[in-house]
Amino acid sequence: MSKIRIHHRTIYHYRYAVNLRPHRLMLRPRESPDLRLLSHEVSITPQAQVSWAIDVFGNAVATAVFGEMTDVLSVDSVALVDLIAAAWPVFAIAGSALTFPFRYSAEEWTDLGALTARQYADPSQQLQRWAQGFVASNSTDTLSLLKDISAGVSSSISYQSREAEGTQTPTQTLDRRWGSCRDFAILFAETVRCLGFGARIVSGYLFNPDQILLGSQNQGATHAWVEVFVPGAGWITFDPTNRSMGGANLIPVAVTRDIAQSVPVAGSFVGASDAFISMDVEVEVSA
């Protein structure tokens, strides 16, 4: 068990005072059998009215509504969690899904819905061919296949930290042979979807106390990874950036179909077109 503190600060600077539109915040860690949320507090300057809701994926989403003009917006999120995920988990996969290919039940297929659908165009079938290249035979071990794909992503693509917003498409990542953790996650999710798996993108934090994992330059940082649904085992965590399986070192905040749905702080303002100066993000993850 690891008691971990996460401090996530986002600061916007404006050249002039602006009217802030409502902002959407996804900062509260998701509780699960692997993670217990001990406390969480969000502090916002200028003062805002904050309301909480649960979205379609079960994520906690806050909406901040502002009543005054400002030239600085600061959002501070401080969470304390107990992370109890096993470093080497064992998954009780249903007999029907031990080997690939397999079929989800009718109910599972309905419930997974869009999480099985590919999100990016692949007109030349480049990604489809790449995905099929991991299938050794018509009857291959399901978990081994997923591990091979995760390892294939990290061995084929060079990790490169990128502060700029946005992501690459899977084919762009394959062509460029480099990407950030967000690009690794998207490529892995789309690859397994090509093979019929249900997958969802996870965003949150990487706890890196020994500073040996890719994705942070200190003890932790924001991070992205993937969960794949396998009957019996349920959602299995894969971090293709670090070739890991299971939730050890990972603190989830949001699970989504598309990574664009998991932006930690999102909103707009009304003011002069040249009002925006900068956005700075600081993340500290420590034991």
Side-chain angles (χ1 to χ4, degrees):
M1 180 182 295
S2 298
K3 187 173 289 186
I4 301 169
R5 181 180 184 269
I6 306 108
H7 183 192
H8 187 154
R9 173 181 293 168
T10 306
I11 303 176
Y12 295 86
H13 293 278
Y14 303 94
R15 188 167 284 105
Y16 324 105
V18 298
N19 280 307
L20 297 170
R21 296 285 195 182
H23 278 54
R24 181 177 183 268
L25 315 177
M26 298 187 75
L27 296 165
R28 181 184 175 91
R30 286 175 62 99
E31 293 191 83
S32 73
D34 290 337
L35 185 142
R36 185 158 59 103
L37 180 62
L38 302 178
S39 64
H40 181 237
E41 182 177 353
V42 176
S43 303
I44 303 174
T45 303
Q47 186 174 358
Q49 181 178 346
V50 179
S51 59
W52 289 88
I54 302 297
D55 71 8
V56 69
F57 298 105
N59 304 310
V61 181
T63 300
V65 178
F66 302 90
E68 61 183 273
M69 298 180 70
T70 184
D71 59 359
V72 175
L73 168 60
S74 174
V75 180
D76 265 283
S77 170
V78 179
L80 186 64
V81 304
D82 265 341
L83 183 62
I84 55 179
W88 302 102
V90 176
F91 299 101
I93 297 175
S96 61
L98 285 173
T99 58
F100 177 88
F102 66 87
R103 292 181 64 86
Y104 289 122
S105 69
E107 288 187 352
E108 289 168 339
W109 187 257
T110 299
D111 292 337
L112 288 168
L115 297 177
T116 64
R118 295 168 61 177
Q119 308 295 309
Y120 297 86
D122 185 26
S124 65
Q125 298 296 296
Q126 178 186 9
L127 185 62
Q128 184 68 49
R129 290 193 301 272
W130 196 69
Q132 287 296 146
F134 291 99
V135 182
S137 65
N138 287 332
S139 181
T140 189
D141 183 79
T142 298
L143 197 55
S144 295
L145 170 62
L146 293 170
K147 289 179 181 179
D148 287 347
I149 296 172
S150 179
V153 170
S154 58
S155 63
S156 301
I157 310 301
S158 298
Y159 175 78
Q160 181 173 315
S161 177
R162 191 174 73 251
E163 297 299 328
E165 295 183 8
T167 55
Q168 298 174 170
T169 68
T171 53
Q172 284 175 331
T173 300
L174 286 177
D175 289 338
R176 294 171 180 174
R177 297 291 172 177
W178 57 264
S180 69
C181 63
R182 293 166 287 172
D183 307 314
F184 278 55
I186 289 172
L187 176 57
F188 178 84
E190 282 292 283
T191 300
V192 300
R193 285 168 177 162
C194 284
L195 299 177
F197 289 95
R200 58 190 189 182
I201 305 288
V202 189
S203 66
Y205 304 99
L206 174 69
F207 180 49
N208 188 16
D210 299 324
Q211 301 185 38
I212 60 174
L213 300 174
L214 294 176
S216 73
Q217 297 179 344
N218 46 46
Q219 289 191 353
T222 55
H223 197 55
W225 59 96
V226 178
E227 293 178 347
V228 181
F229 187 81
V230 179
W235 292 104
I236 299 179
T237 297
F238 290 90
D239 178 8
T241 303
N242 290 293
R243 301 192 188 190
S244 64
M245 183 178 65
N249 297 91
L250 299 173
I251 303 163
V253 170
V255 298
T256 58
R257 171 183 52 81
D258 188 317
I259 198 167
Q261 298 169 309
S262 62
V263 177
V265 180
S268 60
F269 68 90
V270 177
S273 59
D274 64 342
F276 177 76
I277 298 176
S278 65
M279 179 187 75
D280 301 309
V281 179
E282 301 171 7
V283 176
E284 297 177 2
V285 184
S286 57

